[in-house]
Amino acid sequence: MAETKYTEEHEWIRVEGDVGTIGITQYAQEQLGDVVFVDVPAAGRTVAKGEACAVVESVKAASDIYAPASGEVVESNAALAETPGDVNAEPTGKGWFFKLKLADKGELDGLMDEAAYDAFVKSLG
Amino acid sequence: MTESSAGPLKRTPLYDLHRELGARLVPFAGYEMPVQYPTGILVEHNHTRTACGLFDVSHMGQVRLTAKPGQNAAKALETLVPGDIAGLQPGQQRYTQFTNDAGGILDDLMVTSTGDHLLVVVNAACKDADLAHMQKHLSATCEIEPMFSRGLLALQGPQASAVLSRLVPQVATMKFMTGAYVVIDGARCYVTRSGYTGGDGYEISTPADQTDAIARKLLGHPEVKPIGLGARDSLRLEAGLCLYGHDIDTTTTPVEAVLLWSVGKERRVQGGFPGAAVVQKQIAEGSSRKRVGLLPEGKAIAREGAEIVIGGKTVGTVTSGGFSPTMGRAIAMGYVERSQSANGTKVDLMVRGKPVAAEIVPMPFVKHAYYRG
């Protein structure tokens, strides 16, 4: 059973076994506006929790994406190179960024569940 | 492109309309302005290129100059700008710059002669300083009337002429960079055929209290959609047009910015504007750097501040960069050393510490589509 957690930087991570799939939330894509370029980390790269490891460019600005947990990148979403708009259309589906083999699942404990994240977004006005 | 400013944010006459239309409002030059509407910047950009967009540019500063008895307002304004203002025929408009003693640019502006007056439109962020500058130097020769509460609407795109001529038939045959008084819905407006998109279109100066009604009337035409500042920026970048405070400022001269076309031919020789000696020397000997277009090879976007590098050596800086919806790729402009500025020169743009291959190219990126009759 997959479990999805959220960060205060508006990333989501969906965990199945010891692999987490990472992307940005609906709120994040709305704030960014039209996404025109995504720079995702290559498979094999090791990232630390909190490390800036991807970049999403909208028409307006570039934004860093931070690793919600430590681990090794096992796959990145190559399709985003051709269809970056997937991030706007399906931020939690086709618009995923990369998959991470988690070094320590315990790191996820500090992240928000869906109800907590929804409340967090509401608190932003 | 958000710029901070002290004090409470001001609102244009279209504030309520922006809210109704679902705009995302951001602080810009001291105003609460729409950066985009719900459809988003890409749709707004493409709509302006293919149909017609309505922009609220009421935050810009409109000032009317009128010669005092026995004086000449155009000659007076020429003491502050390098453009040929005295040569403007009634109804003609020109682009020029306020320069400082070093030839740097204090602001860029549009000047239109109505015959009786000069109508000046300056950037929002500079308008208070520009007004003080004109009051300091032109009060002896001109009546200076700030009209900062007036509305200014830009109607831009290939369908702009069809739309506006339904309300005002005479605008159909107006040529690029001309202006005329017209009546729209009983309101006396001043229309110029100009804009900031590189396409055909008009800017319409409206009485403050009738701006909302005129904007709603224009939006009632099926071709017209509201367009925010986000698309305004991507449109002007495709057109190779400078954004003040980014591509031009007090440290860049009209020669370095490749705006020499806007400096009057006689004025290049005769001078008589602040910094004329510097500008004349640069005309004669060339400036040490110049503004160029940059076309990155890949999809990565080099934005303002990115270094321009050749063979590991920094030769300049990107001043504007973004995604061109029309071309479907990244574009940029910036300044490079003149010796490295030839079209076709290969450079690297440093994006997040990594080189992005790019080439120096002529501007505009998207061909201008001005109506010249």
Side-chain angles (χ1 to χ4, degrees):
Chain A
M1 171 78 196
E3 181 193 17
T4 305
K5 297 273 200 161
Y6 301 84
T7 72
E8 290 191 355
E9 285 77 37
H10 306 285
E11 291 111 7
W12 54 263
I13 176 166
R14 189 165 55 238
V15 182
E16 288 163 282
D18 60 355
V19 172
T21 302
I22 290 145
I24 65 169
T25 65
Q26 174 68 19
Y27 175 84
Q29 75 81 13
E30 284 173 8
Q31 292 298 309
L32 285 170
D34 299 308
V35 172
V36 292
F37 175 71
V38 183
D39 190 9
V40 287
R45 176 171 162 188
T46 302
V47 299
K49 180 180 168 81
E51 181 180 335
C53 58
V55 175
V56 55
E57 296 258 13
S58 72
V59 181
K60 278 178 289 187
S63 304
D64 284 316
I65 304 302
Y66 303 95
S70 306
E72 183 188 330
V73 177
V74 290
E75 189 183 351
S76 57
N77 186 353
L80 291 183
E82 289 308 311
T83 54
D86 287 351
V87 176
N88 296 116
E90 294 185 35
T92 57
K94 276 200 305 188
W96 63 280
F97 281 27
F98 60 97
K99 294 184 181 182
L100 203 56
K101 187 165 190 299
L102 299 169
D104 174 9
K105 287 179 76 173
E107 284 181 341
L108 303 174
D109 293 346
L111 302 182
M112 292 176 274
D113 63 13
E114 187 171 344
Y117 178 71
D118 287 347
F120 173 65
V121 167
K122 275 210 179 80
S123 75
L124 300 175
Chain B
M1 50 185 293
T2 302
E3 295 179 14
S4 61
S5 179
L9 291 173
K10 289 175 276 191
R11 294 174 176 176
T12 75
L14 297 188
Y15 176 80
D16 291 340
L17 177 59
H18 298 317
R19 293 289 299 264
E20 261 178 66
L21 293 168
R24 182 180 300 169
L25 296 163
V26 298
F28 182 82
Y31 281 80
E32 218 170 337
M33 297 298 292
V35 67
Q36 65 172 86
Y37 298 88
T39 49
I41 295 173
L42 287 182
V43 169
E44 292 172 26
H45 181 111
N46 291 329
H47 190 82
T48 308
R49 283 277 180 254
T50 55
C52 183
L54 180 71
F55 303 72
D56 179 12
V57 288
S58 305
H59 58 316
M60 298 186 78
Q62 303 180 60
V63 179
R64 186 164 74 171
L65 302 178
T66 311
K68 288 186 170 172
Q71 302 291 339
N72 180 321
K75 282 285 183 196
L77 184 57
E78 282 194 352
T79 64
L80 301 181
V81 304
D84 172 15
I85 308 303
L88 281 178
Q89 298 300 310
Q92 261 194 321
Q93 184 178 42
R94 205 150 271 167
Y95 169 78
T96 189
Q97 308 84 32
F98 287 123
T99 49
N100 65 20
D101 289 339
I105 300 172
L106 296 167
D107 196 8
D108 60 343
L109 62 149
M110 295 290 247
V111 183
T112 312
S113 169
T114 67
D116 296 329
H117 316 278
L118 295 176
L119 300 177
V120 173
V121 181
V122 301
N123 282 298
C126 302
K127 67 183 183 183
D128 294 328
D130 290 340
L131 178 61
H133 185 60
M134 287 188 277
Q135 285 167 335
K136 181 175 175 188
H137 296 283
L138 305 180
S139 287
T141 49
C142 300
E143 298 293 344
I144 301 162
E145 297 168 73
M147 306 187 294
F148 290 175
S149 65
R150 277 183 80 85
L152 191 64
L153 305 174
L155 190 71
Q156 300 283 303
Q159 301 294 320
S161 176
V163 169
L164 193 58
S165 58
R166 280 178 213 142
L167 306 178
V168 190
Q170 75 184 86
V171 303
T173 53
M174 284 175 66
K175 291 179 183 163
F176 179 57
M177 298 296 275
T178 66
Y181 284 106
V182 302
V183 174
I184 302 175
D185 242 13
R188 191 163 184 256
C189 301
Y190 195 82
V191 174
T192 59
R193 195 153 196 168
S194 60
Y196 194 43
T197 62
D200 188 17
Y202 304 87
E203 291 192 350
I204 310 163
S205 171
T206 54
D209 58 358
Q210 281 152 304
T211 306
D212 180 89
I214 291 169
R216 287 175 197 268
K217 183 150 206 162
L218 290 168
L219 288 170
H221 296 255
E223 300 94 332
V224 185
K225 296 226 181 318
I227 312 295
L229 292 180
R232 183 168 161 83
D233 190 50
S234 53
L235 288 158
R236 70 92 196 167
L237 181 57
E238 284 185 346
L241 300 172
C242 292
L243 175 61
Y244 189 79
H246 300 261
D247 308 303
I248 50 176
D249 60 26
T250 53
T251 70
T252 62
T253 70
V255 179
E256 292 168 352
V258 194
L259 298 173
L260 194 56
W261 59 269
S262 69
V263 178
K265 291 218 164 49
E266 286 181 23
R267 307 219 58 210
R268 295 178 200 181
V269 179
Q270 291 170 1
F273 55 91
V278 175
V279 169
Q280 286 168 329
K281 187 162 189 284
Q282 290 185 344
I283 291 171
E285 300 173 8
S287 58
S288 61
R289 58 174 187 160
K290 64 180 277 199
R291 185 172 61 94
V292 296
L294 298 158
L295 195 60
E297 279 175 16
K299 294 217 165 186
I301 296 171
R303 297 188 188 267
E304 181 177 6
E307 286 191 358
I308 305 170
V309 172
I310 298 178
K313 178 175 171 281
T314 300
V315 297
T317 309
V318 170
T319 52
S320 282
F323 180 77
S324 161
T326 305
M327 299 168 76
R329 60 185 298 174
I331 56 174
M333 67 168 90
Y335 284 82
V336 295
E337 293 171 10
R338 187 164 53 95
S339 59
Q340 311 283 359
S341 66
N343 289 326
T345 303
K346 304 286 187 189
V347 300
D348 286 320
L349 309 178
M350 298 307 291
V351 179
R352 293 180 289 277
K354 287 185 280 189
V356 171
E359 184 178 320
I360 293 177
V361 295
M363 289 189 285
F365 297 99
V366 172
K367 198 167 176 281
H368 293 162
Y370 301 135
Y371 181 79
R372 298 183 191 274

